[in-house]
Amino acid sequence: MNSTAVIAIHGGAGTILRASMASDAEQRYHAELHHVLAAGQGVLAAGGSALDAVSEAVRLLEDCPLFNAGHGAVFTAEGTHELDASIMDGRTLEAGAISCVTRVRNPILVARRVLEASEHVMFTGAGAEAFAAAQGFEFVDPAYFHTDARYKQWLLARGQQGSMLDHDGATLASQSSAQPDDPTPHEPIDPNRKFGTVGAVALDQHGHVAAATSTGGLTNKQAGRVGDAPLIGAGCYADDATCAVSTTGSGEMFMRMVAAYDVAAQMAYRGVSLEEAAADVVMNRLPRINGRGGLIAVDARGNVTLPFNTEGMYRGFARVGEAPVTAIYR
Ligand code: ASP
C-alpha cells in the first residue's frame, strides 16, 4: 500500500477568459470540480481502485450540464448529440471505448463495461447502443442532452461555419447577447475554439493508475465525426509502468500526435519525468500542428501534471487526506 493516492480531473480547455467570466459562474465551476474531486478522493480513501475512481468522477462530470459530456454535450451540424468515451486500466492495460452514441445516459459506464465484459475494445454507433442495451444500460431520449447554452453556442458556430471547442463556444456566446434566464453560466470563449471534454486520471493506494475521457466532441462537428476522446492512445491511456493520461482539445491534432500515448512513450523510451513528457507533448509537439488544448496525467509515484496551451482549462486534483485544488486560468 502507498499513501500517495491521488485523482486529477479536467472539464475541458479553450479560450476561457477571466474578463468574460461572471464571478458566480466561476464559483459554480470551482464548486462542481471540487465536488467531483471529493467523490473520487472518497473512492481512493476507502481503498477503491483507480479504475473505480475515474469512472465515478467522469460519471459525475457527464451528469453536470456545465461540461461537454453526457447532459450538456454540444450539438453536431445536424443538431443532434453524438457522444464518445473511453477508459483504460493501467494495471492490466485493458481498455473499453464507445463512439457516436446518441441515447446512452452515461457513456463512460458503457465504456467501462466494454473493458470488463467484452473481448473487443471499441464499439461505435448502433453497435455500441446494442451492446449497451444487451448489458441493461439506461437509455434516455436524445432531448436529455439538450441544454440552452449549448444550443446557443451551436447557432453561433453555424454562423461562423466549422466546428469549435465547447469552451470557445461558450466564450463566444457570452460575448453575444446574454440571456438572463439561461441557468448555464457563460464562461468565456473565442470565436474559433473551445473544448469541453471531461476526463479523470488516478493513482490508487495499491499503486495502480487508470484514465477515463468522455465528450460530446466539437460544437457543430459533422455527423459521424469521431475525435480523440474514445481513441486509446490519443485521448486516453494508462499503464502502471509509466502514467495515466486524459486529454482535451482539438481532437484531430491529438489523434495525429497520438498524444496520450506519447506522454507514456517518452517516459518509457526517453526516461524523462511525467512533467517533462507531458510538457513536451502539450507545449512543443501539439503546437507544431496547431493542436490546442491540454491534458492531465499521473504516474505510479503520485506525480501529477496538468499542462495546457490554451488560455484556460477547468482542472483540479486531490490527494487522499488533503483538500482538493481547483483552477481555471493559466
Ligand atoms: N477532444 C475533443 C474532441 O475533439 C473535444 C474537447 O476536448 O472538448 O472531440
Side-chain angles (χ1 to χ4, degrees):
M1 297 285 252
N2 74 42
S3 56
T4 55
V6 61
I7 182 163
I9 60 172
H10 70 77
T15 309
I16 307 169
L17 305 174
R18 198 186 296 266
S20 39
M21 172 87 86
S23 79
D24 59 333
E26 198 173 308
Q27 288 315 315
R28 218 175 135 189
Y29 277 98
H30 280 294
E32 192 59 39
L33 292 169
H34 198 281
H35 166 69
V36 172
L37 284 168
Q41 198 180 32
V43 172
L44 297 174
S49 68
L51 197 63
D52 282 345
V54 298
S55 303
E56 178 60 4
V58 169
R59 183 188 72 79
L60 291 169
L61 289 162
E62 285 179 341
D63 284 350
C64 174
L66 296 181
F67 304 107
N68 168 23
H71 179 56
V74 299
F75 286 79
T76 69
E78 310 287 317
T80 56
H81 300 90
E82 294 182 352
L83 314 175
D84 304 330
S86 62
I87 188 164
M88 186 160 183
D89 186 349
R91 188 174 65 88
T92 58
L93 300 190
E94 288 173 322
I98 58 169
S99 67
C100 283
V101 296
T102 59
R103 294 178 303 133
V104 172
R105 177 183 165 130
N106 287 110
I108 198 64
L109 299 183
V110 180
R112 167 92 187 248
R113 190 65 62 82
V114 175
L115 179 156
E116 289 168 340
S118 172
E119 60 178 309
H120 303 303
V121 167
M122 185 173 192
F123 289 102
T124 192
E129 291 188 346
F131 173 84
Q135 293 286 328
F137 277 95
E138 184 183 354
F139 277 62
V140 290
D141 187 279
Y144 166 77
F145 299 110
H146 178 106
T147 53
D148 290 345
R150 300 288 183 239
Y151 186 67
K152 195 169 153 197
Q153 284 169 18
W154 176 56
L155 294 178
L156 286 163
R158 290 174 80 194
Q160 309 259 333
Q161 311 224 316
S163 56
M164 70 169 84
L165 286 173
D166 170 52
H167 296 309
D168 286 345
T171 293
L172 181 60
S174 75
Q175 287 163 353
S176 72
S177 63
Q179 288 183 7
D181 56 343
D182 185 343
T184 305
H186 296 302
E187 75 277 38
I189 59 146
D190 74 27
N192 304 314
R193 300 287 152 228
K194 154 188 175 166
F195 314 86
T197 290
V198 306
V201 293
L203 165 68
D204 63 31
Q205 295 188 31
H206 316 285
H208 303 302
V209 298
T213 308
S214 180
T215 192
L218 301 179
T219 294
N220 209 36
K221 67 184 179 181
Q222 238 178 285
R225 175 266 188 190
V226 176
D228 60 324
L231 298 186
I232 297 303
C236 178
Y237 193 73
D239 182 352
D240 281 0
T242 49
C243 61
V245 181
S246 171
T247 69
T248 176
S250 42
E252 282 70 10
M253 291 35 160
F254 283 69
M255 290 155 83
R256 289 161 56 195
M257 279 294 172
V258 199
Y261 178 70
D262 196 45
V263 177
Q266 290 205 34
M267 291 177 72
Y269 304 148
R270 253 182 2 108
V272 297
S273 68
L274 177 77
E275 191 174 356
E276 191 176 337
D280 184 57
V281 170
V282 174
M283 302 304 183
N284 299 329
R285 294 179 58 76
L286 282 164
R288 260 193 245 157
I289 55 169
N290 291 325
R292 292 185 68 240
L295 60 81
I296 55 173
V298 300
D299 67 17
R301 294 158 65 190
N303 295 303
V304 177
T305 189
L306 312 113
F308 54 99
N309 62 29
T310 48
E311 286 73 4
M313 179 167 84
Y314 296 103
R315 63 198 187 278
F317 68 94
R319 294 187 185 282
V320 167
E322 293 178 21
V325 176
T326 61
I328 300 175
Y329 314 106
R330 226 189 264 276

